[in-house]
Amino acid sequence: MSATSETGKRRALLLVNAKARSGSAPLDAIRTILREGGLDLIEPEGSADCKEVIGRHASSVDLVILGGGDGTMNAAAPALVETGLPFGILPLGTANDLARSLGLPLEPEPAARVIPTAPEKAIDLGWVNGHYYFNVASVGFSADLASELTAEAKKTWGTVGYAIAAFRLLRRARPFTVTIEHDGRTEKVTTIQASVGNGRHYGGGMTVQEDATVDDGRLDFYSLEVAHWWRLIALLPALRRGTHGKAADVRAFETTELMLTTRKPRAVNTDGELTTWTPAHFKVMPKAVRVLAPLDAAPGSTSRFPLPF
């Protein structure tokens, strides 16, 4: 049954994460843009779990609008898969890498103007140990960084704070051994970080792989097998462009499924949140969700202060 309202307008469930970097910004202008675009907005009260809220309203709305950063999108992913509802993005977070990968505006009001008329685009999800992710999942340095960064620090300092914290942590980073199983092969390597990308951008505009997209049906793996921490500084331009896989001390390949195993359990960072531990089983989930975005938009540019990894 259609959820279209009596006025003939589509019903949109508007969920804004108040803890996102710009989540407490005034929304009146955004509401006006969405309503003038032909949407009836439903805004539930309170701060209940977004998965529960989406599930509760699934039969009475046509789409979901998520205001927040990549962590907000990540939290909503299970409900979007289960309900099949399309979603629009209001980029209110620190990095907004999913919006960047989709070529959406990175300012909330221009992004709001896209939502009422944008077509639905089917995109992939990454999956690790039962957890979905849009952009990238990592073991090693970035997971250590995620554990050190507080929500308040991200809200106050944005990507600049990320970069400062990253460089402080960098000199303490230590290599670890990981066993990689993929496509009938097993490789044991020493690395400072192993990353499995589903989308194109992460960390405020770093690039998983130069031709990666969120709907290419593949995972892009890379491992930073560097001898000294300062080598990572030299790799930064390539990491930003997505050409780091060409370096001699970076292992990179494409796949659709892999397993990462470490001697001791290590945290896995999915879209900036620590959600599971190794051993980690990764898969791509092709065309798992639908997002409201231009079908042929070019991915956005990198930020001025992207995360190093």
Side-chain angles (χ1 to χ4, degrees):
M1 184 174 68
S2 173
T4 304
S5 69
E6 294 178 359
T7 63
K9 295 182 177 182
R10 289 185 298 162
R11 285 198 177 111
L13 179 63
L14 176 60
L15 297 177
V16 175
N17 180 3
K19 296 181 180 179
R21 190 179 187 211
S22 301
S24 57
L27 296 176
D28 289 347
I30 288 172
R31 291 187 184 98
T32 298
I33 290 168
L34 294 171
R35 287 172 177 143
E36 289 179 349
L39 300 178
D40 273 347
L41 302 181
I42 296 175
E43 298 184 64
E45 295 182 359
S47 56
D49 175 74
C50 68
K51 180 181 177 182
E52 185 273 328
V53 174
I54 292 171
R56 177 156 39 92
H57 288 84
S59 63
S60 60
V61 299
D62 296 290
L63 65 142
V64 179
I65 300 173
L66 297 171
D70 294 303
T72 303
M73 310 301 144
N74 187 294
L80 296 172
V81 172
E82 290 172 15
T83 63
L85 287 168
F87 71 105
I89 300 173
L90 293 176
L92 300 174
T94 303
N96 302 309
D97 284 302
L98 178 59
R100 195 185 308 271
S101 292
L102 291 164
L104 292 170
L106 298 182
E107 295 297 325
E109 290 185 24
R113 293 188 183 95
V114 171
I115 293 172
T117 58
E120 296 178 8
K121 178 175 183 173
I123 62 173
D124 308 334
L125 283 173
W127 178 98
V128 53
N129 292 355
H131 299 270
Y132 294 114
Y133 65 95
F134 285 97
N135 302 322
V136 72
S138 298
V139 177
F141 180 85
S142 80
D144 296 338
L145 179 61
S147 70
E148 290 205 356
L149 276 170
T150 66
E152 188 62 32
K154 288 193 286 186
K155 194 165 187 174
T156 302
W157 299 104
T159 51
V160 179
Y162 268 119
I164 293 170
F167 283 111
R168 285 177 177 170
L169 180 62
L170 194 56
R171 297 189 67 172
R172 308 201 311 267
R174 294 292 179 268
F176 62 97
T177 300
V178 61
T179 300
I180 311 163
E181 299 173 69
H182 70 99
D183 305 299
R185 302 175 60 185
T186 300
E187 302 166 293
K188 192 172 185 177
V189 306
T190 299
T191 185
I192 200 167
Q193 174 162 302
S195 295
V196 186
N198 170 70
R200 179 180 179 87
H201 291 304
Y202 67 102
M206 305 305 287
T207 305
V208 174
Q209 208 277 341
E210 59 183 332
D211 65 352
T213 65
V214 290
D215 60 352
D216 57 16
R218 76 182 194 218
L219 299 173
D220 292 283
F221 174 89
Y222 74 81
S223 170
L224 301 174
E225 298 165 16
V226 297
H228 302 283
W229 68 265
W230 48 259
R231 168 64 179 145
L232 296 175
I233 307 301
L235 279 172
L236 272 177
L239 283 159
R240 189 164 177 156
R241 294 190 301 267
T243 57
H244 46 279
K246 299 174 183 178
D249 48 4
V250 177
R251 185 182 309 267
F253 58 82
E254 301 172 8
T255 190
T256 56
E257 185 172 6
L258 74 153
M259 176 74 75
L260 298 181
T261 306
T262 53
R263 187 170 62 87
K264 295 180 180 180
R266 297 188 69 100
V268 181
N269 172 9
T270 57
D271 293 339
E273 308 292 330
L274 300 181
T275 52
T276 187
W277 299 80
T278 58
H281 180 198
F282 295 84
K283 294 189 291 186
V284 65
M285 311 296 283
K287 308 294 190 287
V289 291
R290 293 173 295 149
V291 64
L292 299 168
L295 298 179
D296 55 355
S301 61
T302 59
S303 74
R304 185 179 176 189
F305 296 103
L307 274 179
F309 317 105

